[in-house]
Amino acid sequence: MKNSIAERVCDFLKIYPPFDLIKFKKLLEIAEQVVIVYLEKGDTLFKADQPANEYFYIVRAGAISLFHTENDTQELVTINDTGDIFGVRPLIARENYKLTATANEETIIYALPIKNFQSATENNAKVYKYLITAFATNAYDSYTTEENNAIFKDYLPNTSQDIVNFQTANYTKTPITCAKTATLQEAASLMCTHKIGCIIVVDNKKPVGIITNSDIKNKIATGKFPITTAVTNIMSSPVITAKKDLTVADGQLKMIKNSIGHLCITKDGTVNSRLIGVLTHHDVLVTLGNTPSVILKEIKRANRTKKLRIARLKANTLLKSYLEQNIPLTHIINVISEINDAVTIRAIEIALKKMPTEPPVAFSWLALGSQGRREQLLFTDQDNALVFEDVPEDKYEETQAYFLQLAKYVTKSLNKIGFEYCEADMMAVNPEWCKSISKWKTQFQNWILSPDDKAILLSSIFFDYSRVYGNEKLVDTLSESIFEALSGSSLFYKFLGSEAVKSPTPLGIFKQFLVEQNGEQKDLFNIKSRGLMPLIDAARLLVLSNQIKNVNSTYERFEKMAEIDPNNKELYESCAYAFKALSKFKTKQGLLHNNSGKFIKLETLTKEEKLKLKRCFKPIHDIQETLKLRFDLKNFI
């Protein structure tokens, strides 16, 4: 008799990793033992320091908040939505729980018995690699850093051994082969045609030997064998094999241990099964070269824009692998931001070498917008500005002309690297955004003391600046003057607030997604303007009005507000979480469709993805209502 409940559980599980890696029959075995748990908002599933029970969990509907408790104070670590796994500590570390799991709202979860799961997934390395990564991700926080380093340091993103080592190796899936009855001449012709350095000798699709360029050089070119000899006379045999799901680290270890440069990937990992691919030493080096430290070294050594572009493109591959490995978004943002800044710095250094003379005065290059907030994960348009030291009036035009030429070189280089020119011309190559420190001070004071729609639009971009290159004191002086002007202008905050709450709503009255109504993007959902920008605008207003300096990223701004305003801590933490979740979603969409991820075709999303998006929109409404009250915007909008 069919177990319809188990089948429904199975249909849900198979959508999400790592259950999508398990065969249906095995997955059904797991589903039959699942315990369904219903929780009201505020109900606790397990508490920190309690002995771990025999289950781990996946959210079916609703959300689970994980808290760390210290000195009787709870700190939110993360919120798990539909499809998220948690409570894996007993499966991995066999220790008491370190966090408290509480229902964030009315929630249904599936509890999976660990013993049953282990039995059904025995020898499935991909499943356990995912769970270990999930464990490291959920546990990674200041209070558990030490113990995590002791248990799973290789899986943590900021250790010297990058998590790239534990990615599945990217091998050639269409290897060139020849029969064992072939001659060396026939094999060499195939190698020449396909421009490859090795060929696999097969017998009934099973690998029996390998011939490399070195074999031909050492055994044919030296005259030991004629070109017409059989491949079996010069091939290296037996071959070293591996399973298709081996990691980069495992592949590299096998190559070192056996002093070889090629691994044959077979169906079951032995020489007795069908050949399905080849992993080369070059494949391993390419993957290992895709680490932050290697990319940054390449950027610093680059002497041409072309090389900078190649290095920055590697960062996109790194970004994709980090997202696939479920690395914390905060770490991903930090890594990509460092790479973006390094690219800009090197572009400036190369541009300075093209200038006829040294800079006439000290200057600073400012990143604006998403790069200024250190949130630019994908290639987007460039927003930048330049501030230089004051000079006598009769030298101003000449000095500005020098820096405009420098900016022209830099922005052109950034454009070639992949950062499009700003359509609104908000770049340092525009005289409006390349000024002396005094003129910049005056500009910001005018925006603040005489706000209008244009001033608010421009300040929303320029208030998110960060220094990338040049004189730090100039930027500090500018920041001080801005906050001094802000202290005497409540009207400016009202203008900023009115813009923050006027952002287009993401959902309609019946909770449906509101899409673009016309133009090229008709029927697409704008996740940037309807999801991210309301949070970005709110966070900016809150930190400026609280005179908070040197906190630029949106999620850090909300986290800072949670720290200084405990009465609204839950709201701010929800906003920080929503921003990270929406950023991650946008980035994944951009990588998937090779664009900015800004516009989303809703029919390409699963039901669960749509539910997750809608859950992220709730804090937007709440934070906008808070702004309306705090800045008395009711009669101002």
Side-chain angles (χ1 to χ4, degrees):
M1 186 174 177
K2 283 191 173 182
N3 185 340
S4 59
I5 294 177
E7 288 184 349
R8 287 201 297 270
V9 171
C10 192
D11 287 339
F12 171 78
L13 292 177
K14 69 183 182 182
I15 300 172
Y16 299 99
F19 305 104
D20 57 347
L21 304 171
I22 303 172
K23 291 182 178 178
F24 184 82
K25 184 178 178 181
K26 293 287 188 182
L27 191 57
L28 191 57
E29 290 178 17
I30 296 170
E32 287 173 347
Q33 302 299 319
V34 162
V35 176
I36 302 173
V37 181
Y38 172 78
L39 299 171
E40 296 277 4
K41 181 178 180 179
D43 286 352
T44 297
L45 182 64
F46 56 77
K47 291 184 177 181
D49 296 323
Q50 280 184 346
N53 61 40
E54 60 188 29
Y55 299 96
F56 70 103
Y57 307 95
I58 183 170
V59 180
R60 175 63 181 85
I64 292 287
S65 297
L66 295 178
F67 294 96
H68 166 57
T69 304
E70 188 171 6
N71 298 327
D72 296 325
T73 301
Q74 281 195 333
E75 293 183 10
L76 181 68
V77 175
T78 188
I79 300 175
N80 292 298
D81 289 310
T82 301
D84 287 339
I85 290 173
F86 65 101
V88 296
R89 177 170 287 275
L91 188 68
I92 305 297
R94 309 184 192 283
E95 296 176 346
N96 291 351
Y97 291 114
K98 297 294 183 181
L99 304 176
T100 297
T102 303
N104 196 51
E105 56 191 77
E106 190 177 23
T107 301
I108 297 172
I109 62 172
Y110 290 158
L112 293 83
I114 290 171
K115 287 184 179 179
N116 178 260
F117 178 81
Q118 287 174 325
S119 175
T121 58
E122 190 175 5
N123 298 323
N124 194 328
K126 275 193 174 182
V127 169
Y128 280 92
K129 184 174 69 173
Y130 179 89
L131 289 173
I132 289 171
T133 306
F135 169 80
T137 300
N138 287 335
Y140 188 66
D141 194 61
S142 57
Y143 70 91
T144 57
T145 298
E146 185 177 345
E147 63 194 56
N148 284 339
N149 285 341
I151 302 171
F152 291 115
K153 64 180 181 180
D154 293 332
Y155 290 89
L156 294 179
N158 64 343
T159 56
S160 59
Q161 182 157 10
D162 196 89
I163 199 163
V164 70
N165 288 294
F166 293 90
Q167 296 173 26
T168 301
N170 186 22
Y171 58 85
T172 301
K173 295 177 177 60
T174 54
I176 304 304
T177 64
C178 69
K180 70 174 186 178
T181 56
T183 65
L184 189 280
Q185 187 173 22
E186 291 169 336
S189 294
L190 282 171
M191 292 169 67
C192 183
T193 299
H194 293 281
K195 298 179 181 178
I196 54 174
C198 76
I199 190 167
I200 310 299
V201 181
V202 296
D203 181 19
N204 195 25
K205 297 184 179 180
K206 298 174 184 177
V208 295
I210 182 170
I211 297 172
T212 66
N213 285 332
S214 296
D215 293 319
I216 297 173
K217 178 182 70 175
N218 296 330
K219 298 175 183 179
I220 302 299
T222 57
K224 288 183 179 180
F225 294 92
I227 190 70
T228 54
T229 192
V231 291
T232 51
N233 288 331
I234 70 163
M235 70 184 187
S236 299
S237 181
V239 295
I240 306 300
T241 59
K243 289 183 179 181
K244 63 180 180 180
D245 56 0
L246 89 162
T247 64
V248 173
D250 289 338
Q252 187 181 40
L253 188 61
K254 275 203 170 191
M255 289 181 185
I256 294 170
K257 185 177 179 180
N258 294 282
S259 300
I260 57 172
H262 303 80
L263 276 177
C264 289
I265 310 299
T266 61
K267 191 171 182 180
D268 69 1
T270 73
V271 293
N272 298 315
S273 63
R274 179 169 57 88
L275 177 76
I276 59 174
V278 174
L279 177 70
T280 69
H281 183 58
H282 176 72
D283 295 330
V284 172
L285 289 179
V286 168
T287 306
L288 290 176
N290 235 16
T291 63
S293 57
V294 171
I295 292 172
L296 287 169
K297 285 178 183 177
E298 287 185 20
I299 290 169
K300 290 176 182 178
R301 287 197 299 264
N303 52 16
R304 296 169 55 201
T305 298
K306 184 178 179 180
K307 291 184 177 179
L308 278 177
R309 174 173 170 77
I310 292 170
R312 180 57 184 81
L313 285 172
K314 285 186 177 182
N316 270 17
T317 305
L318 180 70
L319 172 63
K320 185 173 183 292
S321 70
Y322 273 5
L323 290 171
E324 288 172 349
Q325 295 292 321
N326 204 28
I327 302 300
L329 189 74
T330 50
H331 173 71
I332 297 174
I333 287 173
N334 289 336
V335 168
I336 301 301
S337 295
E338 287 297 326
I339 290 173
N340 285 339
D341 285 354
V343 165
T344 305
I345 289 168
R346 192 63 187 136
I348 295 169
E349 291 171 345
I350 293 172
L352 283 168
K353 292 179 181 179
K354 296 178 182 178
M355 298 299 290
T357 63
E358 294 288 318
V361 291
F363 75 99
S364 283
W365 184 276
L366 305 179
L368 311 174
S370 60
Q371 188 183 357
R373 293 190 302 273
R374 297 178 68 79
E375 295 165 357
Q376 189 179 41
L377 294 176
L378 297 170
F379 282 124
T380 56
D381 59 347
Q382 48 179 301
D383 295 309
N384 44 61
L386 190 148
V387 54
F388 56 86
E389 212 169 36
D390 284 331
V391 294
E393 192 60 38
D394 61 337
K395 294 286 185 180
Y396 187 85
E397 189 174 331
E398 176 188 341
T399 304
Q400 186 185 45
Y402 176 95
F403 288 113
L404 287 172
Q405 181 59 49
L406 174 66
K408 184 177 179 181
Y409 286 137
V410 177
T411 53
K412 184 178 180 180
S413 181
L414 291 174
N415 179 254
K416 287 181 178 179
I417 289 164
F419 299 99
E420 296 291 335
Y421 290 121
C422 175
E423 291 184 2
D425 204 24
M426 291 183 182
M427 299 179 291
V429 72
N430 182 342
E432 286 294 312
W433 318 129
C434 178
K435 299 179 178 180
S436 67
I437 181 65
S438 293
K439 291 186 181 293
W440 268 118
K441 286 180 180 179
T442 301
Q443 177 70 82
F444 274 103
Q445 287 170 356
N446 288 339
W447 285 339
I448 294 167
L449 300 177
S450 304
D452 56 25
D453 289 342
K454 183 181 178 181
I456 296 303
L457 173 65
L458 294 175
S459 60
S460 68
I461 296 171
F462 282 85
F463 273 94
D464 290 338
Y465 66 79
S466 65
R467 182 185 69 89
V468 176
Y469 181 93
N471 189 286
E472 188 174 358
K473 188 176 179 181
L474 280 172
V475 182
D476 290 342
T477 301
L478 179 60
S479 297
E480 288 169 7
S481 70
I482 290 171
F483 279 100
E484 186 178 339
L486 283 170
S487 63
S489 179
S490 59
L491 181 62
F492 180 73
Y493 294 135
K494 285 185 178 290
F495 270 96
L496 276 185
S498 67
E499 286 300 309
V501 300
K502 281 195 298 188
S503 300
T505 181
L507 300 175
I509 192 170
F510 299 110
K511 302 297 181 184
Q512 79 278 18
F513 288 95
L514 295 179
V515 297
E516 301 301 294
Q517 296 300 309
N518 46 51
E520 291 182 12
Q521 314 303 336
K522 189 175 185 299
D523 296 328
L524 299 181
F525 179 73
N526 190 332
I527 192 172
K528 180 180 178 181
S529 66
R530 294 184 183 272
L532 290 165
M533 288 310 301
L535 294 170
I536 291 168
D537 291 341
R540 180 191 305 112
L541 171 58
L542 288 167
V543 296
L544 288 176
S545 62
N546 282 276
Q547 296 277 304
I548 297 171
K549 303 175 183 177
N550 302 319
V551 181
N552 275 22
S553 71
T554 300
Y555 74 88
E556 286 181 331
R557 285 171 167 174
F558 280 123
E559 288 172 355
K560 187 66 177 178
M561 288 303 302
E563 180 184 320
I564 67 171
D565 183 8
N567 291 331
N568 290 293
K569 182 178 179 181
E570 185 177 347
L571 171 59
Y572 295 138
E573 288 178 340
S574 295
C575 287
Y577 171 80
F579 177 80
K580 287 186 280 188
L582 290 170
S583 296
K584 191 173 185 178
F585 192 90
K586 175 178 176 289
T587 304
K588 283 186 173 181
Q589 288 290 307
L591 290 171
L592 183 64
H593 301 292
N594 196 30
N595 57 29
S596 68
K598 178 180 176 181
F599 292 98
I600 296 171
K601 202 172 184 179
L602 291 171
E603 53 264 37
T604 65
L605 305 184
T606 65
K607 183 179 179 181
E608 283 70 27
E609 286 174 327
K610 290 176 183 177
L611 284 171
K612 279 193 173 185
L613 273 180
K614 287 181 179 180
R615 184 166 289 112
C616 290
F617 298 148
K618 186 177 184 302
I620 295 175
H621 173 269
D622 294 345
I623 194 67
Q624 288 181 332
E625 290 302 307
T626 298
L627 295 181
K628 288 177 186 177
L629 290 172
R630 182 167 300 185
F631 296 96
D632 192 21
L633 301 176
K634 186 176 181 180
N635 299 316
F636 193 80
I637 302 172

